[in-house]
Amino acid sequence: MMEEEELEFVEELEAVLQLTPDVQLAIEQVFPSQDPLDRADFNAVEYINTLFPTEQSLANIDEVVNKIRLKIRRLDDNIRTVVRGQTNVGQDGRQALEEAQKAIQQLFGKIKDIKDKAEKSEQMVKEITRDIKQLDHAKRHLTTSITTLNHLHMLAGGVDSLEAMTRRRQYGEVANLLQGVMNVLEHFHKYMGIPQIRQLSERVKAAQTELGQQILADFEEAFPSQGTKRPGGPSNVLRDACQVANILDPRIKQEIIKKFIKQHLSEYLVLFQENQDVAWLDKIDRRYAWIKRQLVDYEEKYGRMFPREWYMAERIAVEFCHITRTELAKIMRTRAKEIEVKLLLFAIQRTTNFEGFLAKRFSGCTLTDGTLKKLESPPASTNPFLEDEPAAEMEELAMEKGDLEQPKKPKAPDNPFHGIVSKCFEPHLYVYIESQDKNLGELIDRFVADFKAQGPPKPNTDEGGAVLPSCADLFVYYKKCMVQCSQLSTGEPMIALTTIFQKYLREYAWKILSGNLPKIGTAVLIVRTTSSSGGLTISSLLKEKEGSEAAKFTLEELCLICSILSTAEYCLATTQQLEEKLKEKVDVSLTERINLTGEMDTFSTVISSSIQLLVQDLDAACDPALTAMSKMQWQNVEHVGDQSPYVTSVILHIKQNVPIIRDNLASTRKYFTQFCIKFANSFIPKFITHLFKCKPISMVGAEQLLLDTHSLKMVLLDLPSIGSQVVRKAPASYTKIVVKGMTRAEMILKVVMAPHEPLVVFVDNYIKLLTDCNTETFQKILDMKGLKRSEQSSMLELFRQRLPAPPSGPEGSSSLSLLAPTPEQESSRIRKLEKLIKKRL
C-alpha cells in the first residue's frame, strides 16, 4: 500500500510540474545544463539503467544513493536561500508601483495645463487675424473679378475682330487671333450659364464654321477637281489658310489633304489606265518615274504652302502606293495567263527598289495600313543563311567551301514601306514557286550528270573527306530562293517554297548520296585448308586472299563512302539551320507548319548506311581469316609460337582500311568513333562464334589461341589511332566494349585449358570465370575440349546442380532474433531493478 501511495504521489507531482515547450525552452536558454535530471523528457527507468547497466553494477548502489542524497540536500539549500531572498520582494514592488502612479498623476496634470494654455493662445491668434483674413478674401475676389472682366473684354473684342478678318480673308492674322480667342474662351467654361457668355461662345463657333467653309472654297477654287491648276501657283493666302486649318476642326485639314492629293494624282489614273500599254508589268518603271517627278514638282511649287507637320509629300507617295497596288492587282487578275517568271521578278524587283527609295526619303509616320509588317531581327547564327539580302560573290565562294562562320553583316534599318505595293504580287507567286520547282529539278539532274561524268572524289588523306561541291551549291541556291521569297511574302508562299525545299532535299539524299553508295559484292570466298600434321597450315590460303579479294571496296570507293558520309553530316546540320531560318522569315502564325525533321532523318539514315557499309567491308575482309581459324586442326598443334597467320591477316586488313577511313572522316570525329564501336560490336561476337567452332583443342592449341586472342585485343584497343603519327587515347565507351568482349574470349580459352577432373572443380571454375548460366555455352566448351558424350552428360548434370540459386529469403533473421531480448524480458528486468532500488532507499 505504501508503494502504491508513493507512485500516486509521484504521478501527481509530475502532472503539476509539466511545463509548456516555450517555458521549457526559455529555462534551457537561461540555465543550460547537461545533467540528465534537468531534461524535460527525463525518464527514471532509462536513467537507472544508465547508472546500473548490469547486475554486477548494483554492488555500488549505496555509493550512488549517497551521491543522490547529497545532491538533494544541496538543491534544498539552494531553494531555501532563494525563497528567503524573495521575502521582501513583494513589499518593495508595491512601494515602487505606488511611486510610479504618483509620478504619472503629476505628469498628467502638467500636460493638461499646457493644453489649456495652447487653446487660449490659439483663440487669441484667431481674434487677431480675423480681420486680416477678411481683407485677403476681398483682395482675392477683386483680383478674380478684374481678371475675368479683362478676359471678357478680350473675348468680345477678339470675336468682333475675328468676324471682320474672316470676311477680309486675312488668314495670317486670323490664325494667331483665333488661337488666342480659343484660349480665352476656355476660362469661361464655368460661366456658360450666363446668356452673354453663351452668346459669345456661339459666335466663336459660327466664325470657326464659316472659316472652314471659306478655306475649303478657296482651295476648291485654287485646285479645282476638273480642269488645270491655277497658273499663278500657291499664294500666301492659302499658306496662311493652312495655318488656320490646323486650329479648326481636324476634319477641315483632312478634307483639304484629301482633295489636294486626289487632284494631284488624277493625271496618274488617266495615264496608267488598265487599257493603256504602259500599265502592264514590263513598263512598271514608268509608274515610279512619274511619281518621282511629281514629288519633285510638289517640292518646288507647293513645298512651302503646306505646314511641314502635314507630311504632304509622304501622303502623296502613300496614296500613290495604295492606288498602284489596287490597279496592279486588278490588271494582273485580268491578264494572269500572260505573267511569266522573269516578268514577275522584274516587276517585284523594281517595286521593292521603289519601296526602298521611299524608306530612305520618308519616315513612314503617316502609314495607317495594317498590311505593313515590321521585320524581326534574327539571332546571330553560323548557318549559310546569314544575310537578309543576296550574298556577295565572295560570301558565296566562302559558302561553297563550307565556311559557315562568316561574320554577319549589320542589318539595315526596318523598311516601313515594305509590302505597301509589292503585296499585290503575292497571289501570283505560285508562278515563282513553280519556276523554282522546275529549276531545282534541273539542278538535281545536273548534279547527277556531273557526278557520273567526274566520277567519285579523289582520295584525300590530309584534310579529311571532302564534302561534295554540289551540296554547297544546293544550299546556296536555297538561300537565294528563301531571301527572294521572304522579300515578296512571309505567308503561304513561304510554306509552298518550304515544301519544294523538302522535296529536293529528299531527292538529293536519294539520288546523289544513297544512289552513289557502293554496293557490297555477293561473291563468296572459298576457304581451303590443308591437314598436314604439325603447326598452323593456313598461311598459303591467307596469301592467296590478300589484296583486292579480301577487301570488298577499293581505295576510291572507301573515300567515296567517307565523302558521302561527310556530305550527309553537312546536309544534316545545314538543314537544321535552314529550318530555323525559315521559321524566322515566315509569319509567326505559320512557324508550326515548317518542319524539316523528316529530311534530317533521311540524312541521318544516309550516315548510318555509310557507317554500316564501312563496317561490313572491314568485317567481310576479316571473314576469310576467321574461317581459316575455325578450320584449323588445333588438336595437332605441338608448340606455341608467335601470333598465327590469320591474326596477321586481320591486323593487315585493319591497318589498310582504318587509317583511310580515319583520315577521310577527320572533320567528323564522332562518326569515326561510331564506326569503331560498330565494328567492335560486330567483329568480337563473330570472333567468339568462330572460336567455338575450333574443336577439339589441345592444351597447346588453347595456349596458342589465347596468345592470338590477346594480340587481337591489343590491336582492337589501338584501333582508333592505328597507323597514326598522333596517338590519341581511345574513347572510354569503345574501350569498355573491347575489354568486355575480348576478356570473355580469353576466359573461354582459360576454361578450355583447365583440366576437367575433378568435375566439381571444373564446373565451379567455369561458373567463376564466365558467370554464364547458359547450358549451351557450357556444352560448346565441352565440345572444344573434345570430351565424349557420355562424359558430357554427367558434367552437364553436375553443372545444372552447381548453378547458383537465388536467395530464398531472410534466413539469418532467426539466429539474430535468439540473441535479442523480447519486450517482456526487458520490462521484467526493469521492474526487478526498481524494487531493488526502493528497498535500498
Side-chain angles (χ1 to χ4, degrees):
M1 292 295 294
M2 291 293 294
E3 293 179 356
E4 293 178 357
E5 291 177 358
E6 290 178 358
L7 290 174
E8 291 177 357
F9 174 74
V10 170
E11 292 176 357
E12 292 175 358
L13 183 61
E14 290 179 351
V16 172
L17 294 179
Q18 196 72 9
L19 302 177
T20 62
D22 295 338
V23 175
Q24 188 64 38
L25 180 61
I27 293 173
E28 291 178 357
Q29 292 177 350
V30 176
F31 304 105
S33 174
Q34 300 296 330
D35 194 341
L37 295 173
D38 294 334
R39 295 177 58 184
D41 56 347
F42 173 74
N43 190 322
V45 176
E46 292 181 358
Y47 182 67
I48 294 172
N49 286 337
T50 305
L51 295 177
F52 307 104
T54 61
E55 293 184 0
Q56 290 78 7
S57 61
L58 293 174
N60 300 326
I61 190 170
D62 294 333
E63 182 181 352
V64 174
V65 169
N66 290 333
K67 289 182 179 180
I68 294 176
R69 286 175 175 173
L70 179 60
K71 192 170 186 178
I72 292 172
R73 282 198 297 272
R74 290 177 179 175
L75 289 174
D76 289 341
D77 293 341
N78 292 336
I79 293 171
R80 191 178 301 109
T81 302
V82 172
V83 170
R84 289 175 179 176
Q86 296 295 325
T87 303
N88 298 327
V89 171
Q91 184 177 358
D92 295 341
R94 285 192 295 273
Q95 184 178 357
L97 180 62
E98 291 175 357
E99 293 177 355
Q101 289 176 347
K102 292 178 180 178
I104 291 173
Q105 290 177 356
Q106 293 176 0
L107 180 62
F108 180 77
K110 292 180 180 179
I111 292 173
K112 185 175 181 182
D113 292 342
I114 294 172
K115 184 178 180 182
D116 294 340
K117 291 179 181 179
E119 290 177 354
K120 292 179 180 179
S121 300
E122 183 179 1
Q123 186 65 28
M124 187 182 300
V125 171
K126 286 182 179 179
E127 292 176 356
I128 294 173
T129 59
R130 183 182 297 118
D131 297 336
I132 298 175
K133 286 184 179 179
Q134 291 178 355
L135 292 175
D136 287 341
H137 288 306
K139 180 182 178 182
R140 187 181 306 112
H141 294 160
L142 182 61
T143 303
T144 304
S145 300
I146 294 172
T147 304
T148 303
L149 288 174
N150 287 335
H151 287 165
L152 181 61
H153 175 71
M154 292 169 58
L155 180 62
V159 171
D160 294 337
S161 300
L162 181 64
E163 292 174 345
M165 292 178 182
T166 300
R167 289 191 294 270
R168 295 194 298 269
R169 284 183 167 79
Q170 296 176 350
Y171 296 130
E173 292 79 2
V174 167
N176 297 326
L177 180 61
L178 179 61
Q179 186 64 50
V181 170
M182 297 292 294
N183 294 336
V184 172
L185 189 60
E186 290 179 359
H187 294 283
F188 290 95
H189 282 321
K190 54 185 176 182
Y191 304 118
M192 286 300 173
I194 301 174
Q196 291 80 0
I197 302 298
R198 186 168 58 252
Q199 182 180 4
L200 287 174
S201 176
E202 291 174 354
R203 288 176 61 188
V204 171
K205 292 181 181 179
Q208 288 178 330
T209 304
E210 183 181 356
L211 273 172
Q213 295 175 353
Q214 188 170 298
I215 290 173
L216 289 177
D218 291 344
F219 270 93
E220 181 66 26
E221 180 182 354
F223 305 104
S225 300
Q226 303 293 333
T228 59
K229 302 172 188 176
R230 190 171 62 181
S235 63
N236 294 333
V237 175
L238 294 180
R239 184 179 65 232
D240 295 338
C242 291
Q243 298 295 336
V244 176
N246 264 339
I247 306 172
L248 297 175
D249 190 343
R251 288 177 294 183
I252 303 298
K253 169 185 170 182
Q254 294 172 3
E255 186 68 21
I256 293 172
I257 293 173
K258 181 179 178 182
K259 288 186 176 182
F260 180 81
I261 293 176
K262 181 178 180 182
Q263 192 276 338
H264 211 69
L265 296 178
S266 58
E267 180 184 353
Y268 173 70
L269 294 173
V270 175
L271 292 177
F272 294 92
Q273 286 183 1
E274 186 177 350
N275 57 358
Q276 297 295 326
D277 184 54
V278 294
W280 188 228
L281 300 180
D282 57 345
K283 296 181 177 58
I284 198 170
D285 280 343
R286 298 190 181 183
R287 293 177 180 265
Y288 305 134
W290 183 89
I291 189 60
K292 290 178 182 178
R293 291 194 301 270
Q294 293 300 314
L295 291 175
V296 172
D297 182 68
Y298 166 80
E299 292 294 342
E300 293 177 353
K301 295 182 179 181
Y302 308 105
R304 297 181 180 180
M305 185 176 75
F306 294 99
R308 181 174 298 179
E309 62 270 17
W310 285 20
Y311 302 102
M312 286 299 296
E314 181 176 327
R315 293 179 185 275
I316 292 171
V318 170
E319 184 63 23
F320 166 83
C321 292
H322 293 328
I323 295 173
T324 303
R325 185 178 68 240
T326 304
E327 294 296 321
L328 287 177
K330 187 189 304 181
I331 194 172
M332 283 192 292
R333 282 195 302 269
T334 306
R335 305 170 62 177
K337 295 182 180 180
E338 302 179 28
I339 300 176
E340 298 178 354
V341 177
K342 291 183 179 180
L343 179 61
L344 182 65
L345 293 180
F346 168 79
I348 292 173
Q349 183 62 41
R350 294 295 187 270
T351 302
T352 53
N353 290 342
F354 175 70
E355 292 172 350
F357 163 78
L358 294 180
K360 292 178 181 178
R361 177 138 184 208
F362 305 116
S363 63
C365 60
T366 63
L367 293 173
T368 56
D369 192 347
T371 60
L372 304 182
K373 300 178 178 62
K374 292 292 183 181
L375 303 177
E376 296 182 358
S377 176
S381 176
T382 58
N383 58 30
F385 309 100
L386 287 175
E387 299 80 9
D388 289 327
E389 299 177 355
E393 294 180 0
M394 293 302 294
E395 294 168 342
E396 292 181 1
L397 181 60
M399 203 171 300
E400 291 173 2
K401 293 181 180 179
D403 186 2
L404 301 181
E405 298 184 357
Q406 295 294 324
K408 183 177 178 181
K409 298 192 303 184
K411 188 182 176 192
D414 294 344
N415 181 1
F417 294 92
H418 176 69
I420 190 170
V421 179
S422 58
K423 194 170 183 64
C424 67
F425 299 109
E426 186 170 329
H428 305 277
L429 287 180
Y430 68 89
V431 178
Y432 171 77
I433 301 299
E434 292 173 356
S435 173
Q436 297 307 321
D437 189 2
K438 180 181 177 182
N439 293 341
L440 283 170
E442 294 175 352
L443 187 64
I444 295 295
D445 293 339
R446 180 167 64 83
F447 290 161
V448 174
D450 291 347
F451 190 92
K452 292 180 179 179
Q454 298 174 5
K458 301 299 181 183
N460 184 3
T461 59
D462 295 330
E463 299 178 359
V467 176
L468 297 179
S470 59
C471 174
D473 295 340
L474 178 66
F475 282 102
V476 167
Y477 190 83
Y478 272 10
K479 188 210 65 165
K480 290 181 179 179
C481 295
M482 181 187 64
V483 172
Q484 196 173 44
C485 188
S486 64
Q487 293 176 347
L488 308 180
S489 171
T490 57
E492 288 295 334
M494 284 292 289
I495 302 299
L497 185 66
T498 302
T499 304
I500 299 298
F501 286 174
Q502 291 175 303
K503 172 184 175 182
Y504 288 102
L505 283 174
R506 292 191 296 268
E507 286 203 10
Y508 186 84
W510 295 335
K511 294 182 179 181
I512 307 299
L513 301 182
S514 296
N516 289 306
L517 283 174
K519 303 297 186 293
I520 295 182
T522 58
V524 179
L525 297 179
I526 302 175
V527 180
R528 297 175 296 174
T529 62
T530 58
S531 58
S532 61
S533 60
L536 302 175
T537 61
I538 59 174
S539 58
S540 59
L541 167 68
L542 293 175
K543 288 180 181 178
E544 294 176 4
K545 298 304 175 184
E546 289 178 356
S548 62
E549 272 190 327
K552 296 293 190 299
F553 294 141
T554 63
L555 174 61
E556 290 76 12
E557 289 174 332
L558 287 176
C559 294
L560 173 61
I561 295 174
C562 293
S563 180
I564 290 176
L565 191 153
S566 300
T567 303
E569 192 269 341
Y570 175 86
C571 292
L572 175 62
T574 313
T575 301
Q576 183 178 2
Q577 297 165 359
L578 173 63
E579 179 182 2
E580 295 172 358
K581 196 64 179 180
L582 285 170
K583 288 183 177 180
E584 293 173 6
K585 294 290 185 181
V586 79
D587 290 341
V588 178
S589 59
L590 301 176
T591 52
E592 295 182 357
R593 295 174 58 183
I594 295 180
N595 186 0
L596 303 183
T597 305
E599 289 64 39
M600 288 186 275
D601 292 342
T602 301
F603 289 118
S604 298
T605 303
V606 174
I607 293 172
S608 300
S609 301
S610 302
I611 295 175
Q612 192 62 33
L613 277 178
L614 296 173
V615 171
Q616 290 177 1
D617 174 62
L618 183 55
D619 210 11
C622 298
D623 279 347
L626 297 179
T627 305
M629 176 191 76
S630 63
K631 296 295 183 180
M632 264 299 294
Q633 301 296 327
W634 292 101
Q635 75 275 19
N636 296 331
V637 177
E638 297 177 353
H639 62 274
V640 179
D642 293 334
Q643 65 185 23
S644 302
Y646 76 87
V647 176
T648 305
S649 176
V650 171
I651 296 174
L652 177 63
H653 289 303
I654 290 176
K655 288 184 176 180
Q656 287 176 348
N657 282 28
V658 173
I660 297 172
I661 297 172
R662 181 183 59 244
D663 294 340
N664 281 275
L665 295 181
S667 59
T668 54
R669 293 290 302 176
K670 62 178 180 179
Y671 294 117
F672 175 70
T673 302
Q674 289 186 19
F675 160 76
C676 295
I677 292 174
K678 287 189 177 182
F679 174 72
N681 284 328
S682 175
F683 176 80
I684 294 175
K686 186 180 292 187
F687 173 74
I688 294 176
T689 301
H690 282 78
L691 197 62
F692 282 131
K693 296 180 181 179
C694 298
K695 56 186 178 181
I697 304 177
S698 64
M699 177 65 69
V700 179
E703 292 178 357
Q704 180 64 49
L705 278 172
L706 186 60
L707 175 64
D708 296 341
T709 302
H710 182 72
S711 299
L712 287 175
K713 178 181 178 181
M714 300 310 296
V715 170
L716 289 175
L717 287 174
D718 193 43
L719 179 71
S721 60
I722 193 169
S724 174
Q725 296 179 354
V726 180
V727 179
R728 292 183 179 180
K729 186 178 179 180
S733 57
Y734 171 76
T735 304
K736 182 178 179 181
I737 293 172
V738 173
V739 170
K740 181 179 179 182
M742 296 306 291
T743 301
R744 174 175 171 79
E746 292 175 343
M747 293 300 104
I748 291 173
L749 292 172
K750 289 182 179 180
V751 172
V752 173
M753 292 169 59
H756 62 277
E757 291 183 353
L759 301 182
V760 175
V761 175
F762 176 77
V763 172
D764 291 344
N765 191 35
Y766 168 83
I767 296 174
K768 178 181 177 182
L769 292 177
L770 289 181
T771 63
D772 191 347
C773 300
N774 191 349
T775 309
E776 295 181 1
T777 306
F778 188 69
Q779 176 76 53
K780 291 178 181 179
I781 290 180
L782 297 181
D783 292 338
M784 292 173 69
K785 293 181 67 66
L787 298 179
K788 298 179 181 179
R789 290 296 177 182
S790 58
E791 295 177 329
Q792 291 185 13
S793 60
S794 60
M795 296 183 72
L796 286 171
E797 184 63 28
L798 180 62
F799 172 72
R800 294 188 183 95
Q801 296 175 1
R802 301 291 293 180
L803 287 177
S808 58
E811 298 176 352
S813 60
S814 60
S815 61
L816 294 176
S817 63
L818 295 176
L819 300 177
T822 62
E824 292 79 5
Q825 294 173 340
E826 182 69 23
S827 61
S828 176
R829 290 175 58 190
I830 293 174
R831 283 197 297 271
K832 289 180 181 179
L833 181 61
E834 288 177 350
K835 290 179 181 180
L836 183 60
I837 292 174
K838 289 179 180 179
K839 288 180 180 179
R840 292 295 180 93
L841 292 175

